[in-house]
């Protein structure tokens, strides 16, 4: 019998520059795209707006409202640097039994067995301090009262009123858990003897049940924060049943000293797995909870051949294999919940425009998984040789060749790819501002 366990708690903190006010809390009507790229829009009615005429007009709550666009601000004196506090709890538990089967009969004297259970769990909590609420900022920018309105036109030494800061700045908390229970059993040994040696086997089974969930702060969940990476809450889990079998057959052995086939053995293996995946409902955009099932049966055949006795020219081993493989989507790739990113991009379609009419070098990107993804598959051939010449002691030379044919590859078409393709179904281009 064997067992072990581990429990760990870790904590670390990070500091970031004061929150930059982007993306714009005011959106292009009908979209989630900020009205003022890489900055914010301030309504003319804002108590602190020094301009009396707006350079753009935006429909806010059904009312055409003149606004000042292109306003940049950081909460340097309002909050100072942002901070992140991370806490993680990790636990791992292992228990099992293993033994030999020689006590049952002479036939099983080479057999070994093992059964076991492993449980791993990771919990995390992230507390973000000094971020911005987009709804709170919108309301504070529309305010006409100097006591409570937010002022993004401050100099480097001033700060907003306590009432305005309380409306705009927030602390966000996000948590998540990942757990993985695994049950397994295996047995291996020799089946019978051939003239070249014993025919060996191994067989086993496994059940895995990974579970992954993220509980986002309401502002993160609705993509309504500034300064924090937003994303939606989700739950996703899968059940995996798998079995494998392998057999090694020696065709010739050194005891025969057969010319051209000093040693030759073949190995056959196969693995079968059955998957059942479940994802939770996402509300915006609405994606219903989903279930998907699939299975895979993949073989492998390999050979190992030593044509000559090493006493002649040294040890020469030739090897080759054919195998089929698969890789199931990760739980994160299945989850339909969106997550936010801000990649750097280059837009070749606006590179010759006036600077104010070029795509911003940094854009907001939202990435979602696909609950209907199926496994990636691959077909692989390998050939190789290993040679240790007898006349150069300690020298070993090897050469290998691989051919891998991959299909159904899972990937994410990122913002840069979509912008370059310029497909209207995925890329929305905003007309330039009047007079520009």
């Amino acid at each position: 019998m064997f067992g072990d366990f581990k429990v760990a708690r870790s904590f670390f903190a990070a500091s970031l520059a004061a929150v930059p006010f982007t993306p714009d809390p005011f959106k292009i009507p009908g979209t989630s795209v900020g009205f003022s790229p890489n900055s914010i829009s301030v309504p003319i009615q804002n108590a602190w707006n020094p301009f009396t005429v707006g350079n753009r007009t935006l429909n806010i709550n059904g009312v055409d409202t003149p606004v000042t666009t292109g306003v940049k601000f950081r909460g340097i004196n309002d909050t100072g640097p942002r901070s992140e506090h991370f806490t993680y709890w990790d636990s791992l538990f292992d228990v099992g039994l293993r033994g030999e089967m020689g006590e049952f009969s002479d036939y099983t004297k080479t057999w070994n067995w093992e059964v076991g259970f492993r449980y791993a769990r990771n919990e995390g909590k992230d507390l973000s301090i000094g971020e911005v609420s987009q709804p709170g900022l919108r309301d504070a920018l529309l305010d006409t009262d100097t006591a409570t309105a937010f002022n993004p036109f401050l100099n480097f030494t001033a700060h907003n009123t306590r009432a305005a800061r309380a409306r705009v700045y927030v602390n966000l908390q996000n948590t998540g858990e990942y757990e993985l229970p695994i049950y397994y059993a295996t047995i291996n040994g020799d089946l019978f003897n051939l003239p070249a040696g014993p025919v060996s086997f191994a067989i086993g089974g496994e059940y895995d049940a990974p579970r992954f969930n993220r509980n986002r702060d309401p502002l993160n969940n609705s993509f309504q924060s500034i300064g924090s990476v937003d994303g939606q809450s989700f739950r996703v889990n899968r059940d995996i049943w798998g079995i494998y079998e392998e057999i090694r057959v020696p065709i010739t052995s050194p005891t025969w000293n057969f010319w051209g086939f000093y040693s030759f053995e073949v190995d056959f293996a196969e693995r079968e797995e059955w998957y059942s995946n479940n994802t939770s409902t996402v509300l915006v955009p609405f994606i219903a909870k989903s279930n998907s099932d699939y299975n895979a049966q993949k073989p492998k055949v390999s050979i190992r051949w030593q044509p000559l006795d090493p006493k002649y020219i040294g040890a020469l081993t030739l090897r080759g294999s054919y195998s089929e493989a698969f890789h199931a989507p990760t739980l994160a790739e299945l989850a339909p919940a969106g997550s936010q990113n801000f990649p750097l991009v280059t837009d070749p379609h606006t590179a010759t425009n006036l600077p104010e009419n070029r795509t911003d070098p940094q854009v907001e990107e939202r990435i979602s998984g696909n609950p209907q993804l199926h496994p990636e598959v691959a077909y692989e051939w390998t050939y190789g040789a290993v040679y240790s010449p007898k006349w150069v002691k300690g020298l070993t030379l090897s050469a290998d060749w691989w051919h891998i044919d991959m299909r159904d590859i899972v990937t994410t078409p990122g913002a840069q790819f979509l912008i370059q393709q310029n497909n209207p179904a995925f890329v929305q281009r905003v007309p330039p501002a009047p007079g520009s």
Side-chain angles (χ1 to χ4, degrees):
M1 181 175 181
F2 62 90
D4 62 75
F5 70 92
K6 179 191 76 170
V7 178
R9 178 180 182 272
S10 55
F11 172 85
F12 66 93
S15 182
L16 301 170
V19 58
F21 278 49
T22 183
D24 193 350
F26 296 105
K27 310 300 180 183
I28 298 172
T31 76
S32 60
V33 180
F35 187 71
S36 182
N38 210 27
S39 54
I40 63 173
S41 304
V42 182
I44 293 298
Q45 69 191 59
N46 177 271
W48 299 103
N49 194 333
F51 300 98
T52 57
V53 178
N55 65 327
R56 301 285 296 274
T57 299
L58 175 63
N59 188 286
I60 302 176
N61 300 325
V63 178
D64 288 337
T65 305
V67 297
T68 302
T69 61
V71 179
K72 295 182 180 291
F73 182 79
R74 276 187 183 266
I76 297 174
N77 296 316
D78 283 349
T79 61
R82 289 170 289 167
S83 60
E84 299 267 356
H85 299 272
F86 301 91
T87 306
Y88 294 102
W89 296 266
D90 297 288
S91 56
L92 177 65
F93 175 75
D94 233 336
V95 65
L97 296 170
R98 65 167 65 102
E100 300 176 351
M101 301 183 66
E103 60 189 32
F104 297 105
S105 69
D106 287 340
Y107 178 73
T108 59
K109 63 183 179 182
T110 63
W111 292 21
N112 302 291
W113 60 272
E114 182 175 324
V115 295
F117 169 71
R118 165 172 284 201
Y119 178 79
R121 181 181 178 88
N122 175 269
E123 298 179 64
K125 181 176 72 173
D126 172 21
L127 180 62
S128 302
I129 300 174
E131 314 293 3
V132 169
S133 162
Q134 290 195 39
L137 179 59
R138 281 195 296 269
D139 292 341
L141 290 174
L142 288 165
D143 201 335
T144 58
D145 186 349
T146 56
T148 54
F150 190 82
N151 182 2
F153 300 97
L154 294 170
N155 58 38
F156 286 105
T157 60
H159 59 75
N160 276 281
T161 65
R162 177 175 296 181
R165 297 199 303 270
R167 300 175 71 179
V168 173
Y169 296 102
V170 292
N171 299 332
L172 307 173
Q173 179 171 293
N174 292 275
T175 62
E177 298 87 31
Y178 183 89
E179 60 179 340
L180 176 60
I182 300 175
Y183 302 84
Y184 69 92
T186 183
I187 185 171
N188 64 80
D190 297 338
L191 289 173
F192 53 85
N193 289 318
L194 292 177
V199 175
S200 303
F201 82 99
I203 187 170
E206 186 175 305
Y207 169 71
D208 302 350
R211 308 284 189 267
F212 185 26
N213 72 77
R214 290 293 305 270
N215 300 304
R216 306 276 195 173
D217 188 278
L219 286 175
N220 291 124
N221 193 49
S222 56
F223 294 91
Q224 290 293 310
S225 80
I226 296 177
S228 175
V229 177
D230 291 330
Q232 295 171 303
S233 300
F234 65 85
R235 295 190 310 277
V236 59
N237 69 277
R238 71 165 30 134
D239 297 294
I240 310 170
W241 295 265
I243 60 172
Y244 71 89
E245 52 278 339
E246 182 176 1
I247 186 168
R248 186 184 65 84
V249 181
I251 308 300
T252 64
S253 73
T255 58
W256 292 15
N257 197 19
F258 192 80
W259 181 263
F261 284 88
Y262 180 72
S263 175
F264 186 80
E265 60 185 45
V266 183
D267 192 280
F268 304 92
E270 185 179 64
R271 185 176 183 89
E272 299 173 273
E273 290 191 345
W274 295 265
Y275 287 77
S276 178
N277 308 298
N278 301 282
T279 60
S280 60
T281 301
V282 172
L283 297 179
V284 181
F286 180 79
I287 302 175
K289 65 180 181 180
S290 175
N291 170 262
S292 61
D293 300 288
Y294 46 79
N295 62 78
Q297 182 178 8
K298 300 299 179 182
K300 179 180 180 180
V301 180
S302 60
I303 62 171
R304 182 179 180 275
W305 176 28
Q306 285 185 283
L308 300 173
D309 189 329
K311 70 181 181 180
Y312 295 114
I313 61 169
L316 173 63
T317 302
L318 305 177
R319 57 196 180 191
S321 69
Y322 168 77
S323 62
E324 298 178 10
F326 69 97
H327 174 257
T330 66
L331 296 186
E333 289 171 336
L334 291 173
S339 60
Q340 189 182 53
N341 194 17
F342 292 92
L344 296 174
V345 298
T346 301
D347 186 358
H349 303 286
T350 62
T352 59
N353 290 2
L354 294 173
E356 63 268 24
N357 292 331
R358 295 174 186 168
T359 299
D360 287 321
Q362 189 171 36
V363 299
E364 179 185 0
E365 177 183 73
R366 296 187 186 180
I367 300 175
S368 299
N370 181 356
Q372 302 305 317
L373 285 177
H374 279 233
E376 300 174 329
V377 294
Y379 304 89
E380 180 177 354
W381 294 261
T382 66
Y383 307 97
V386 180
Y387 179 50
S388 299
K390 62 179 297 184
W391 53 83
V392 184
K393 188 175 181 179
L395 175 64
T396 299
L397 305 174
S398 65
D400 292 281
W401 179 86
W402 294 268
H403 174 82
I404 303 174
D405 179 7
M406 296 186 65
R407 305 177 187 180
D408 297 329
I409 297 174
V410 175
T411 188
T412 301
Q416 180 65 58
F417 174 82
L418 296 176
I419 289 173
Q420 285 183 266
Q421 295 299 308
N422 204 32
N423 187 335
F426 302 106
V427 178
Q428 178 188 30
R429 295 196 176 274
V430 181
S436 71

